[in-house]
């Protein structure tokens, strides 16, 4: 069959119809930003201390000294999980003894928070931590909540790619939009922690499935309700032609009397459409190397991106201002990513962004404690670089894989990134042992990934491959040229045997 782009060239690249579809797809994933990072506030842990019931017969002095002090960040603060044995201090209070003067507090027996906790409302009015007391012995449940959300994202990433390739991008897009909305609403009625996290898993599944389907469908920026490219790959030629004619009408373009040559369609229809599975991502040495490198790339970028996002409450200053800055820094990062994707090679753009993000994170540990604003600035620069790389990796990965397994390849790569996002909360909580340890680990991994990126093929300015044999080669891989395979040349040389195509 003739080149798909050649057949549909009369539609133009950016007409009214394409613009409408593009903005509709963009609007469909706006809620993803809310659900994706809502856990920063949902699991916020306010300052807390053991509750002393009003019925306890304590003087005001003993009530004020009922909680022992501990050293934290160089200063003494009330203990979050222990109190002095209530029966003991009640006796001292009844005898009229004064804490610290008549009684040595350091010698008193302590007990756990048997009557619950008092939570500060200076920052948060209510979170799932305050709702279900996820502190002290149950504090492991807070990071688990984030990890389980990303488990849902992982499952959605794994499933959505295969479902989109099998049932079409549009169907998966709208089903997962409804799934995300519905389960998010049901979370409002959660009766306990277990119900909340189970629903959060389903929200995560819908969130990423919606994004992957919208992204790959949007790679064509061409049509809706379904991609003609995908319809043709499934042998549904009449449906593809109907959509193309509707798009041309919307753009005010006269459609040729014949779009697809009947003889070509008859020849294609006579051939059994080849089906592809996830195993095709490992079929040849070249695609296997691309898959392995993509998995590592996505996983480490995800650790850095979500690790820095979730670490925002631990920065000095107001949490809401810091979260606002963390989100705002993504805007210029995406603009930069767009410019780099338009005008510069993918490989070097990705590596530069990752080197920037990783390097500044390693410098954080060298900043004196009193220069906390500089620390925040460096973290934001690190977030800037990693965000730009995260934006580019979607396009770069989609360009590396051929049409027949493109959505599957992006889905598997996205699955790998979710493994990183599942681990990211625990990178953040390593800060309990050493404040700079998360930055050291994330910075080192990011720099190593930047080096790995330099070995990937360069897809900038080259036609997208349709088949596995047409894929660009991983740098350093030796291969034999055979008449049955597409000829692969060095960067910059013309590759006339590869058909130009759009994604899908």
């Amino acid at each position: 069959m003739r080149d798909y782009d050649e057949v549909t060239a009369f539609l133009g690249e950016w007409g009214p119809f394409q613009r409408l579809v593009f903005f509709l797809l963009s609007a469909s994933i706006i809620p993803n930003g809310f659900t994706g990072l809502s856990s920063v506030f949902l699991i916020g842990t306010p300052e807390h201390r053991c509750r002393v019931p009003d019925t306890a017969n304590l003087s005001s002095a003993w009530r004020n000294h009922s909680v022992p002090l501990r050293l934290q960040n160089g200063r003494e603060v009330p203990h979050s999980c222990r109190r002095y044995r209530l029966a003991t201090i009640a006796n001292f209070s009844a005898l009229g003894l004064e804490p610290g003067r008549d009684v040595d507090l350091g010698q008193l027996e302590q007990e756990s928070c048997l009557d619950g906790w008092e939570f500060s409302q200076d920052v948060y009015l209510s979170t799932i931590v305050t709702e279900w007391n996820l502190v002290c012995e149950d504090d492991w449940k807070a990071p688990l909540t984030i990890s389980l959300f990303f488990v849902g994202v992982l499952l959605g990433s794994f499933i959505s790619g295969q479902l989109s390739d099998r049932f079409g991008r549009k169907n998966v897009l709208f089903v997962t939009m409804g799934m995300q909305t519905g389960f998010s609403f049901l979370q409002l009625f959660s009766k306990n922690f277990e119900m909340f996290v189970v629903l959060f898993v389903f929200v995560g599944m819908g969130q990423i499935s919606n994004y992957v389907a919208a992204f790959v469908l949007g790679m064509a920026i061409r049509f809706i309700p379904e991609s003609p490219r995908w319809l043709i790959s499934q042998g549904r030629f009449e449906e593809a032609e109907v959509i193309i004619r509707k798009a041309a009408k919307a753009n005010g373009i006269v459609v040729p009397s014949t779009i697809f040559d009947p003889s070509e369609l008859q020849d294609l229809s006579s051939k059994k459409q080849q089906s592809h599975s996830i195993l095709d991502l490992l079929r040849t040495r070249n695609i296997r190397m691309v898959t392995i490198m993509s998995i590592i790339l996505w996983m480490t970028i995800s650790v850095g991106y979500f690790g820095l996002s979730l670490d925002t409450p631990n920065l000095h200053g107001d949490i809401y201002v810091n979260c606002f800055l963390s989100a705002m820094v993504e805007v210029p990062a995406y603009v930069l990513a767009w410019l780099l994707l338009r005008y510069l090679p993918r490989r070097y753009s990705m590596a530069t962004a990752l080197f920037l993000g990783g390097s500044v994170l390693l410098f954080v540990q060298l900043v004196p404690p009193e220069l906390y604003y500089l620390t925040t600035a460096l973290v934001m620069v690190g977030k800037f670089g990693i965000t730009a790389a995260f934006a580019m990796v979607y396009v770069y990965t989609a360009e590396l894989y051929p049409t027949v397994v493109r959505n599957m390849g992006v889905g598997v790569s996205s699955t790998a990134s979710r493994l990183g996002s599942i681990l990211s909360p625990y990178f953040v909580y390593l800060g309990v042992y050493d404040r700079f340890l998360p930055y050291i680990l994330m910075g080192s991994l990011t720099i190593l990934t930047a080096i790995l990126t330099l070995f990937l093929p360069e897809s900038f300015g080259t036609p997208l491959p349709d088949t596995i044999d047409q894929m660009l080669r991983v740098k350093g891989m030796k291969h034999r040229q055979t008449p049955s395979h597409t000829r692969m040349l060095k960067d910059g040389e013309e590759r006339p045997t590869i058909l130009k195509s759009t994604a899908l």
Side-chain angles (χ1 to χ4, degrees), residues 440-459:
I440 294 172
L441 292 176
M442 289 187 287
S444 301
L445 286 174
T446 302
I447 290 177
L448 291 175
T449 304
I451 297 172
L452 177 67
T453 302
L454 296 174
F455 292 93
L456 284 168
E458 181 52 67
S459 60

Side-chain angles (χ1 to χ4, degrees), residues 215-503:
F215 171 78
V216 179
L217 181 58
M219 280 288 291
I221 310 174
R222 286 179 181 271
F223 316 106
I224 215 169
E226 189 51 88
S227 164
R229 183 75 186 170
W230 179 79
L231 291 171
I232 291 172
S233 71
Q234 302 300 305
R236 295 159 62 177
F237 308 108
E238 292 81 3
E239 294 176 61
E241 183 167 340
V242 168
I243 295 174
I244 292 173
R245 291 186 180 277
K246 287 182 178 179
K249 182 179 179 181
N251 286 350
I253 296 172
V254 178
V255 185
S257 57
T258 301
I259 298 179
F260 300 112
D261 189 286
S263 61
E264 291 174 337
L265 297 182
Q266 184 177 3
D267 181 59
L268 286 173
S269 298
S270 64
K271 298 178 181 178
K272 182 180 179 180
Q273 295 295 320
Q274 183 180 4
S275 60
H276 293 273
S277 70
I278 195 171
L279 295 178
D280 287 303
L281 299 180
L282 305 172
R283 182 165 34 126
T284 66
R285 184 187 177 194
N286 188 54
I287 195 172
R288 185 162 57 247
M289 289 299 297
V290 169
T291 299
I292 293 173
M293 294 170 75
S294 296
I295 287 174
I296 297 173
L297 178 64
W298 282 66
M299 186 181 297
T300 53
I301 291 178
S302 182
V303 167
Y305 176 82
F306 288 103
L308 291 177
S309 299
L310 296 173
D311 187 61
T312 304
N314 297 325
L315 295 175
H316 189 278
D318 186 273
I319 179 177
Y320 297 101
V321 173
N322 290 335
C323 284
F324 174 78
L325 293 176
S326 181
M328 282 299 298
V329 79
E330 295 194 23
V331 176
Y334 288 125
V335 173
L336 176 64
W338 174 71
L339 292 174
L340 292 175
L341 289 171
R342 278 186 66 88
Y343 301 110
L344 293 176
R346 314 294 196 232
R347 198 166 72 248
Y348 299 122
S349 299
M350 284 278 299
T352 301
L354 290 170
F355 270 120
L356 172 65
S359 299
V360 296
L361 290 181
L362 291 179
F363 276 117
V364 168
Q365 59 184 315
L366 304 178
V367 178
E370 62 272 13
L371 299 179
Y372 49 84
Y373 288 113
L374 179 57
T375 298
T376 301
L378 288 176
V379 171
M380 294 306 167
V381 173
K383 176 78 179 295
F384 173 87
I386 294 176
T387 299
F390 213 165
M392 290 186 283
V393 75
Y394 274 91
V395 175
Y396 191 18
T397 304
E399 291 177 345
L400 292 178
Y401 282 104
T403 299
V404 291
V405 292
R406 179 165 294 122
N407 209 93
M408 204 177 299
V410 173
V412 168
S413 299
S414 184
T415 299
S417 81
R418 303 315 147 197
L419 293 175
S421 61
I422 290 171
L423 295 174
S424 61
Y426 299 99
F427 273 75
V428 174
Y429 284 95
L430 286 175
V432 173
Y433 305 99
D434 187 311
R435 182 67 190 96
F436 300 111
L437 186 56
Y439 300 126
I440 294 172
L441 292 176
M442 289 187 287
S444 301
L445 286 174
T446 302
I447 290 177
L448 291 175
T449 304
I451 297 172
L452 177 67
T453 302
L454 296 174
F455 292 93
L456 284 168
E458 181 52 67
S459 60
F460 179 67
T462 62
L464 297 180
D466 275 332
T467 66
I468 293 176
D469 290 335
Q470 293 174 352
M471 290 180 63
L472 294 163
R473 298 282 172 178
V474 173
K475 298 299 177 183
M477 279 189 57
K478 296 181 179 180
H479 60 282
R480 293 177 297 176
Q481 294 181 10
T482 61
S484 61
H485 287 76
T486 302
R487 182 168 177 252
M488 300 296 173
L489 303 178
K490 296 180 180 179
D491 289 349
E493 293 184 355
E494 186 178 2
R495 302 166 64 240
T497 57
I498 294 184
L499 298 179
K500 182 181 178 184
S501 66
T502 60

Side-chain angles (χ1 to χ4, degrees), residues 180-213:
Q180 181 181 196
T181 303
F183 284 109
S184 295
F185 181 73
L186 288 177
Q187 279 187 294
L188 296 173
F189 306 98
S190 297
K191 297 296 183 181
N192 49 49
F193 170 75
E194 290 75 17
M195 179 180 178
F196 182 89
V197 294
V198 168
L199 292 173
F200 217 17
V201 171
F202 287 104
V203 171
M205 290 179 64
Q207 191 248 20
I208 192 61
S209 301
N210 170 23
Y211 183 84
V212 171

Side-chain angles (χ1 to χ4, degrees), residues 76-130:
E76 287 189 331
V77 297
H79 204 292
S80 301
C81 301
R82 305 291 293 175
R83 73 182 183 186
Y84 294 121
R85 192 166 183 267
L86 197 59
T88 301
I89 62 176
N91 288 334
F92 289 145
S93 178
L95 293 173
L97 301 177
E98 292 295 323
R101 187 188 70 182
D102 302 320
V103 179
D104 183 2
L105 296 178
Q107 301 301 317
L108 292 181
E109 183 182 357
Q110 299 179 11
E111 63 185 6
S112 59
C113 300
L114 302 178
D115 297 294
W117 291 263
E118 294 177 354
F119 293 94
S120 168
Q121 293 188 330
D122 293 342
V123 179
Y124 307 101
L125 293 179
S126 177
T127 69
I128 66 169
V129 172
T130 64

